[in-house]
């Protein structure tokens, strides 16, 4: 008998409930190997806002992540593999990059997401003997880099990273560069990652109990070889079209707001960041197919961004809050971000700019209202409303979640070519979204402290996360009125 995706999700949920039994799910703090099992069901409609055929995703995926960890004195080592199989190309990984979602076309297929693949997520060696503080560690290898708001770092990447985490002072210093995706399907890097070195540092000080101020910086040095177009030779989306140097410097202040365990009546966060740099961009061929007069053009970049928010605790279980973010027209993020965090006050990490729209800090401002509920360590839920606008009504925005196109057709209506849908000049209204994230947790396992960055979740959970996006006038009148993206995640660990 053939099972449809919803029946498969139900079977997976049944297994998760069985596994939640304490005698089966028990994990001790001395555990140094295991297997994370994740079943994800995804339903997605109109990522292209109805501008192209298809655009829908409905499927179920199984994601197995075996891991091993060891310690000897001040030394430690960790490795996690991954095996994924699915009925459609779905996202089993919230860290999955936007350009590896299967929508990118290439001539050689070296960066084409497949339903089944093997991968190495992490492999690193750590040393914690540089200082006597227990929260200090130096790691070398492919590892999870993450900061609280997810807007600077939240990815797996090859890095040399030093972390210092004490009661009053936190700091991170490191260098990182992506050399491979370590996946059997993604054999090539995305063009933006080729030969791009990241150097970063941040520190925060607890100036009064529960209140932190900090400074953070990031620099990217991209000297990758540019691929210039040649007359009569078709281009490829893996061609590198831009490189350069960009720096970010930011100030932060918060009340430990991203720590869902804090019991503050009022929580707040705020950040302001400046960006400056220069880029070289390849010029396209002339309209007649000949080479341009100049092969590339240089551009100076300057921008800024801010994200502020406040959350009020109504009682031990309920919280409400509001947030606002704005990024200037030329601002862009550094490419290591996920924009996922615990800003709603629950254990579940939520996309700051919509589970469906997945906006980026680029020529965009966002107003957000939310409410959240958390019952002990068993349940949590968040309901979020977002409104999105462009800052400059004549420039594009970045969004990982929308891929609307403009089609060029012949007299019979056949599509000759498709390009990204340009937003309507002068119209700033990008749209609005409602998100819902609900999680049921089962027995929480204990893991070595050094794995806290790598493993986000307790031993078992079932989570619904999704959003419905209504595009605004900036997308024009020829797009569909709604798009949605929803997931059911079942996770257990043994």
């Amino acid at each position: 008998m053939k099972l449809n995706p919803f029946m498969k999700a139900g079977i997976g949920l049944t297994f998760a409930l069985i596994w939640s039994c304490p005698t089966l799910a028990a994990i001790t703090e001395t555990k140094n190997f295991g297997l994370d099992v994740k079943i994800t069901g995804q339903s997605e409609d109109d990522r292209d806002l109805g501008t192209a055929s298809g655009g829908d995703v409905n499927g179920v995926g199984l994601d197995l992540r075996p891991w091993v960890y060891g310690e000897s004195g001040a030394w430690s080592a960790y490795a996690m593999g991954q095996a994924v199989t699915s009925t459609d190309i779905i996202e089993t990984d919230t860290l999955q990059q936007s350009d590896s979602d299967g929508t990118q076309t290439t001539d050689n297929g070296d960066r084409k997401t497949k339903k089944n693949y093997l991968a190495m997520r992490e492999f690193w060696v750590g040393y914690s003997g540089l200082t006597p503080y227990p929260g200090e560690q130096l790691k070398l290898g492919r590892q999870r880099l993450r900061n609280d708001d997810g807007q600077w770092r939240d990815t797996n990447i090859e890095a040399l990273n030093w972390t210092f985490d004490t009661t009053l002072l936190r700091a991170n210093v490191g260098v990182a560069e992506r050399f491979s995706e370590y996946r059997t399907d993604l054999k090539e890097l995305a063009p933006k990652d080729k030969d791009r070195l990241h150097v970063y540092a941040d520190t925060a000080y607890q100036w009064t109990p529960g209140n932190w101020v900090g400074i953070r910086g990031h620099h990217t040095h991209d000297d990758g070889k540019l691929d210039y177009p040649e007359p009569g030779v078709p281009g490829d989306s893996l061609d590198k079209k831009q490189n350069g140097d960009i720096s970010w410097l930011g100030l932060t202040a918060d009340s430990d707001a991203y720590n869902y365990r804090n019991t503050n009546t009022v929580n707040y966060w705020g950040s302001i960041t400046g960006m400056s740099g220069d880029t070289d961009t390849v010029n396209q061929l002339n309209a007649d197919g000949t080479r341009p007069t100049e092969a590339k053009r240089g551009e100076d970049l300057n921008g800024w961004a801010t994200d502020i928010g406040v959350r009020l605790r109504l009682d031990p279980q309920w919280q409400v809050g509001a947030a606002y973010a704005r990024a200037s027209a030329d601002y862009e993020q550094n490419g290591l971000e996920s924009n996922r965090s615990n800003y709603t006050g629950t254990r579940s990490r939520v996309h700051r700019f919509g589970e469906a729209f997945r906006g980026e800090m680029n020529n965009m401002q966002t107003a957000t209202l939310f409410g959240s509920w958390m019952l002990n360590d068993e349940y949590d839920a968040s309901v979020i409303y977002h409104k999105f606008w462009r800052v400059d009504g004549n420039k594009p925005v970045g969004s990982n979640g929308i891929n609307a196109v403009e089609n060029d057709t012949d007299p019979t209506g056949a599509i000759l070519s498709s390009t990204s849908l340009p937003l309507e000049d002068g119209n700033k209204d990008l749209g609005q979204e409602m998100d819902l994230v609900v999680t049921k947790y089962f027995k929480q396992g204990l893991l070595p402290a050094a794995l806290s960055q790598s493993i986000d979740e307790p031993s078992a959970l079932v989570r619904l996360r999704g959003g419905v996006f209504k595009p605004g006038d900036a997308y024009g009148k020829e797009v569909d009125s709604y798009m949605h993206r929803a997931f059911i995640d079942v996770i257990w660990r043994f």
Side-chain angles (χ1 to χ4, degrees), residues 261-454:
R261 295 188 182 278
N262 87 52
T263 58
N264 300 338
T265 301
V266 178
N267 275 293
Y268 67 88
W269 72 87
S271 66
I272 185 166
T273 304
M275 183 205 75
S276 179
D278 58 82
T279 60
D280 288 324
T281 305
V282 170
N283 288 323
Q284 300 301 313
L285 296 175
N286 297 323
D288 60 0
T290 60
R291 287 189 174 93
T293 303
E294 295 185 358
K296 63 181 180 181
R297 64 186 184 277
E299 183 180 7
D300 292 329
L301 297 179
N302 290 283
W304 67 276
T306 187
D307 182 19
I308 56 176
V310 62
R311 191 173 68 243
L312 175 65
R313 186 178 301 277
L314 303 178
D315 63 29
Q317 297 180 9
W318 293 91
Q319 301 181 72
V320 295
Y324 174 78
R326 180 185 177 97
S328 64
D330 291 330
Y331 185 86
E332 60 184 60
Q333 294 179 270
N334 62 47
L336 301 185
E337 74 285 343
S338 72
N339 291 321
R340 292 187 173 274
S341 68
N342 305 90
Y343 73 93
T344 64
T346 70
R347 184 186 303 181
S348 300
R349 299 170 67 239
V350 183
H351 200 293
R352 177 66 182 82
F353 307 114
E355 292 288 337
F357 184 66
R358 297 185 184 179
E360 300 173 2
M361 297 284 270
N362 169 228
N363 192 31
M364 187 183 73
Q365 57 180 331
T366 308
T368 303
L369 298 173
F370 62 88
S372 64
W373 170 77
M374 189 162 57
L375 179 61
N376 302 321
D377 286 331
E378 297 182 23
Y379 299 92
D380 65 40
S382 299
V383 178
I384 308 111
Y385 170 79
H386 301 281
K387 178 66 178 177
F388 307 104
W389 300 269
R390 279 194 288 179
V391 173
D392 186 328
N394 295 305
K395 292 187 177 182
V397 298
S399 171
N400 291 341
I402 303 298
N403 187 35
V405 300
E406 183 177 53
N407 297 315
D408 180 23
T409 60
D410 64 17
T412 67
I415 296 176
L416 300 176
S417 63
S418 296
T419 57
S420 294
L421 178 71
L423 299 178
E424 295 201 346
D425 286 344
N427 205 317
K428 296 184 177 182
D429 180 15
L430 291 170
Q432 52 191 322
E433 176 169 335
M434 286 293 299
D435 288 345
L436 174 65
V437 180
V438 181
T439 308
K440 161 62 178 174
Y441 300 93
F442 303 112
K443 181 177 176 60
Q444 183 171 1
L446 299 176
L447 294 166
L451 300 188
S452 60
Q453 281 282 91
S454 301

Side-chain angles (χ1 to χ4, degrees), residues 127-200:
Y127 179 71
S128 56
L130 296 179
T131 74
Y133 295 95
E136 177 266 332
Q137 188 176 36
L138 179 70
K139 288 183 183 178
L140 174 64
R142 181 172 169 86
Q143 59 190 280
R144 175 78 173 273
L145 299 181
R146 186 177 71 192
N147 69 307
D148 286 342
D149 62 16
Q151 294 176 15
W152 285 56
R153 300 186 303 275
D154 190 13
T155 189
N156 294 325
I157 189 173
E158 301 91 312
L160 176 64
N161 180 79
W162 181 73
T163 298
F164 185 81
D165 189 354
T166 64
T167 303
L168 297 178
L169 185 67
R170 301 171 182 165
N172 291 276
V173 179
V175 293
E177 183 174 345
R178 203 178 300 280
F179 297 103
S180 171
E181 298 286 2
Y182 302 96
R183 285 175 48 160
T184 55
D185 54 346
L186 304 183
K187 301 174 184 177
E188 290 286 339
L189 289 173
K192 66 180 181 181
D193 286 328
K194 294 178 181 178
D195 301 304
R196 191 179 197 190
L197 177 69
H198 300 263
V199 182
Y200 57 88

